[in-house]
Amino acid sequence: IGDQRGQFAAWAAIGLYHDRRGDSTAALAASERALALARSLGDAALECDALSWMGTAFTHLGRHPEALAHQAASIAIARREQDAARLG
């Protein structure tokens, strides 16, 4: 119960499952939970991933301004952290 990294991984998997099923609303909800965990952990890489997943879900939902904001936030973190893998 106290394993926040494990919880993050679980919410990430749930989000991916829903994304692949085409349920962007559920994918977004799971990604929001993952984002909260990433921030709680203070893990910039995980935060970057969760923001990107949320951006994708917002895109699929036609919520383009929110998608852009989340993708931009993800990119900003990757640049700040000099994370070439996430910028690539």
Side-chain angles (χ1 to χ4, degrees):
I1 292 177
D3 178 11
Q4 289 186 314
R5 289 193 183 280
Q7 291 175 33
F8 176 90
W11 284 112
I14 291 166
L16 179 61
Y17 168 78
H18 288 300
D19 179 66
R20 290 191 176 165
R21 287 187 54 241
D23 187 348
S24 297
T25 300
L28 178 60
S31 297
E32 288 170 338
R33 298 288 297 268
L35 177 62
L37 287 161
R39 287 181 171 161
S40 176
L41 289 164
D43 190 315
L46 297 182
E47 183 177 359
C48 185
D49 290 343
L51 285 165
S52 180
W53 301 331
M54 290 176 69
T56 299
F58 280 127
T59 296
H60 293 158
L61 292 167
R63 295 166 58 180
H64 301 293
E66 292 162 291
L68 180 60
H70 283 77
Q71 294 295 0
S74 177
I75 291 167
I77 292 168
R79 285 183 178 153
R80 183 189 73 218
E81 299 296 317
Q82 299 180 347
D83 189 336
R86 285 178 174 77
L87 289 171

